[in-house]
Amino acid sequence: RTHRVAIVGGGPIGLALALGLARHGVPSVVLEADDTVCTGSRAACISRRSLEIFAGLGCEAPMLAKGLAWTGGRSYYRDTEVFRLAMPHDGNQQFPPMINLQQCYAEQYLVDACARHADLIELRWQSKVAGVAVRADGVTLDVETPAGAYRLDAAWVVACDGARSAVRQALGLKLEGTQYEGRYVIVGILLKSDYPTERRAWFDPPSNPGSTLLMHKQPDDIWRIDYQLRDDEDAEAAMRPENVLPRVASHLAMIGERDDWQPVWISMYKANALTLRRYRHGRVLFAGDAAHLVPIFGVRGMNSGIDDAHNLAWKLALVDRGLADDALLDTYSDERVQATHENLRYATKSTEFMAPPSRSFALMREAVLSLAVEHPWVRPLINPRQTSAIAFHDSALNSHAERSAAFTAGPRPGEVLPECPLTLPDGRAGHLTRLLGRGFTALVFAAGGALDEALHAALARLAGGAVPFGAAIVASAPGARRSGWPVAVDADGRAAKLFGATQGAVYLVRPDGHVCARWRDGAAGEVEAAVRAALAPRSAGHDRRAA
């Protein structure tokens, strides 16, 4: 039979995509070459944005329970602190800026979530893709397993199979960008320590002169230590335990940690800033490391891939179900290529500071660090630039720009909906993003909970259509007169202020949480037009440019 979607790669990106498709009722088969979730040292940090995405997929709870939350960090020049990192975090937020959680746990929780959707997600282990044939109406995959080889036909294929993507190689596609020479040894150790969870970085520490060293606390008393090799060090020799363990011991002694630690794993990492030019090639799409390789500094690797999956899932689902123009998938490529270039821009700055690619960069870093000891104005240059949500201000899905310009505050079209606490329709305390459904959502700010009749009728027409759509009212007081839509209460006016919303303001939010249009006083016909424009971006292009 022909599968509707085949996902190559059962890591966090492929699993998140399968869950996203299942949320929209689209079945998929996931092909994973390995026989279990990953082991060893992989991604270690999950961002707030990824946690928000996982919450929509219903799998954030075990991650929060197991992971270690953190909000900042410290950077040292030799043994002197020169920078204190404080990530944006306030009372509006539902999740911490970051949690430390080994990728193997994240994958297992995603596998568990997939098992709860066994009617829509088929996960095939030990299934290695060895060939790809693309047709106008689908794709044929050659799959190798211990029980023998077979062919699988799919209408759509999404390659989430990592840095050495077999799909990318089969199609003859090349990543473009910069490969850095800086090499890092990654060591996982078992160490019982009461030191709080935060990011710590040392430049030229006395324990490892001439090196850069990072240290992160992870669950189960595991600490991850990444240290840079000097240019004259042989990589093979540097990986041997007899060379790794003394360097770790020297550093732990320098910072006053216990000496009864044990090594768990040792691996090697090189920073790359690479991307495909396009993430859609006919019926084949690319996501995660199969599409782009982002340096680990700023934790943009796995987190950017989770954003890829979130952006793609709803678009592929609507196209597959015949509810949206095929061009909607081109906007996936456009938006996520833009996001990759922004991530690479910040990650490259961090990489050039962490692992200087030339003597000139090394001299500049030395100057910054030495000045930072006594001059606070220099210290922001040491900022590691942690990952954050990317805005798509020029997205083809945005519309009615002239209406948006009337706002003096709030998220602009293309930006991710900000978080804010309020009282949910069921009376429980919660957060605004919990009002979002699996489709498009209209957030209407109405002090008394009553809607304009024309707007109410327009929202009802949209909700009664085939495209998933819902609406929610944000009222200023409980007991508001209802209009058939769920009503949340913004008692202190915090949400209204954050969104720059007055009576009758409407925000139209995409299924992935990005705003695509907003009105100070929701024009009913324009709300419907904005949804149509987002479903057929090619035919709506002229109107958007005019706006």
Side-chain angles (χ1 to χ4, degrees), residues 3-4 15 35 56 59 170 177 239 248 253 295 322 349 435 453 477:
H3 294 267
R4 289 166 67 176
L15 296 170
D35 62 353
C59 57
M239 290 278 288
V248 173
K349 291 179 180 179
L435 300 176
E453 288 186 10

Short mmCIF file of all heavy atoms in Angstrom, two decimals, residues 3-4 15 35 56 59 170 177 239 248 253 295 322 349 435 453 477:
data_model
loop_
_atom_site.label_atom_id
_atom_site.label_comp_id
_atom_site.label_asym_id
_atom_site.label_seq_id
_atom_site.Cartn_x
_atom_site.Cartn_y
_atom_site.Cartn_z
N HIS A 3 1.81 4.59 1.70
CA HIS A 3 1.67 5.33 2.95
C HIS A 3 1.51 6.81 2.63
O HIS A 3 2.09 7.32 1.67
CB HIS A 3 2.90 5.11 3.83
CG HIS A 3 3.05 3.69 4.31
ND1 HIS A 3 2.55 3.25 5.50
CD2 HIS A 3 3.63 2.62 3.73
CE1 HIS A 3 2.81 1.97 5.65
NE2 HIS A 3 3.47 1.56 4.59
N ARG A 4 0.77 7.48 3.45
CA ARG A 4 0.58 8.92 3.21
C ARG A 4 1.85 9.70 3.51
O ARG A 4 2.24 10.60 2.75
CB ARG A 4 -0.61 9.43 4.03
CG ARG A 4 -1.93 8.91 3.47
CD ARG A 4 -3.09 9.09 4.40
NE ARG A 4 -3.45 10.49 4.62
CZ ARG A 4 -4.48 10.87 5.35
NH1 ARG A 4 -5.25 9.94 5.94
NH2 ARG A 4 -4.77 12.15 5.51
N LEU A 15 10.22 11.83 15.46
CA LEU A 15 9.15 11.46 16.38
C LEU A 15 8.21 12.64 16.63
O LEU A 15 6.99 12.47 16.69
CB LEU A 15 9.74 10.95 17.69
CG LEU A 15 10.56 9.66 17.59
CD1 LEU A 15 11.29 9.39 18.91
CD2 LEU A 15 9.68 8.47 17.22
N ASP A 35 18.10 0.17 16.68
CA ASP A 35 17.13 -0.72 17.31
C ASP A 35 16.63 -0.19 18.64
O ASP A 35 15.93 -0.88 19.37
CB ASP A 35 17.73 -2.12 17.50
CG ASP A 35 18.95 -2.12 18.41
OD1 ASP A 35 19.41 -1.01 18.79
OD2 ASP A 35 19.44 -3.20 18.75
N GLY A 56 2.03 20.96 23.36
CA GLY A 56 0.98 20.76 22.38
C GLY A 56 0.87 19.32 21.91
O GLY A 56 -0.19 18.88 21.50
N CYS A 59 3.50 15.66 25.61
CA CYS A 59 4.59 14.85 26.15
C CYS A 59 5.59 15.67 26.98
O CYS A 59 6.71 15.22 27.22
CB CYS A 59 5.32 14.12 25.03
SG CYS A 59 5.98 15.19 23.74
N ALA A 170 21.18 10.18 -1.20
CA ALA A 170 20.56 9.49 -2.34
C ALA A 170 20.09 10.48 -3.40
O ALA A 170 20.11 10.17 -4.59
CB ALA A 170 19.38 8.65 -1.84
N GLY A 177 28.14 25.84 3.49
CA GLY A 177 28.44 26.69 4.62
C GLY A 177 29.86 26.53 5.09
O GLY A 177 30.77 26.33 4.29
N MET A 239 41.38 11.18 22.46
CA MET A 239 40.17 10.47 22.88
C MET A 239 40.46 9.31 23.82
O MET A 239 39.54 8.74 24.40
CB MET A 239 39.44 9.94 21.64
CG MET A 239 38.82 11.03 20.78
SD MET A 239 37.23 11.55 21.45
CE MET A 239 36.24 10.11 21.06
N VAL A 248 40.15 15.92 32.99
CA VAL A 248 38.91 16.08 33.75
C VAL A 248 39.22 16.18 35.24
O VAL A 248 38.68 17.05 35.95
CB VAL A 248 37.96 14.90 33.49
CG1 VAL A 248 36.74 14.97 34.40
CG2 VAL A 248 37.52 14.89 32.02
N ALA A 253 39.40 19.22 40.30
CA ALA A 253 40.19 19.64 41.46
C ALA A 253 40.24 21.16 41.55
O ALA A 253 40.15 21.74 42.63
CB ALA A 253 41.59 19.05 41.38
N PRO A 295 26.07 24.88 14.95
CA PRO A 295 26.97 24.65 16.09
C PRO A 295 26.21 24.54 17.40
O PRO A 295 25.15 25.16 17.59
CB PRO A 295 27.86 25.90 16.07
CG PRO A 295 27.87 26.33 14.63
CD PRO A 295 26.48 26.04 14.15
N GLY A 322 -5.84 17.70 1.36
CA GLY A 322 -6.47 18.45 0.28
C GLY A 322 -7.14 19.72 0.74
O GLY A 322 -7.99 20.27 0.04
N LYS A 349 28.72 33.46 15.56
CA LYS A 349 29.40 34.41 16.45
C LYS A 349 29.87 33.71 17.72
O LYS A 349 30.99 33.94 18.20
CB LYS A 349 28.46 35.57 16.80
CG LYS A 349 28.14 36.50 15.64
CD LYS A 349 27.17 37.59 16.08
CE LYS A 349 26.84 38.52 14.93
NZ LYS A 349 25.88 39.58 15.33
N LEU A 435 -5.04 28.16 25.21
CA LEU A 435 -6.26 28.43 24.47
C LEU A 435 -6.14 28.00 23.01
O LEU A 435 -7.14 27.94 22.29
CB LEU A 435 -6.62 29.92 24.53
CG LEU A 435 -6.86 30.50 25.93
CD1 LEU A 435 -7.09 32.01 25.82
CD2 LEU A 435 -8.03 29.82 26.61
N GLU A 453 -21.81 40.84 16.08
CA GLU A 453 -22.58 39.80 15.41
C GLU A 453 -21.91 39.33 14.12
O GLU A 453 -21.89 38.13 13.82
CB GLU A 453 -23.99 40.30 15.11
CG GLU A 453 -24.87 40.43 16.35
CD GLU A 453 -26.31 40.79 16.00
OE1 GLU A 453 -26.64 40.74 14.79
OE2 GLU A 453 -27.08 41.10 16.92
N ALA A 477 -13.36 40.07 33.07
CA ALA A 477 -13.98 39.69 34.34
C ALA A 477 -14.74 38.39 34.17
O ALA A 477 -15.23 38.07 33.08
CB ALA A 477 -14.93 40.79 34.81
#
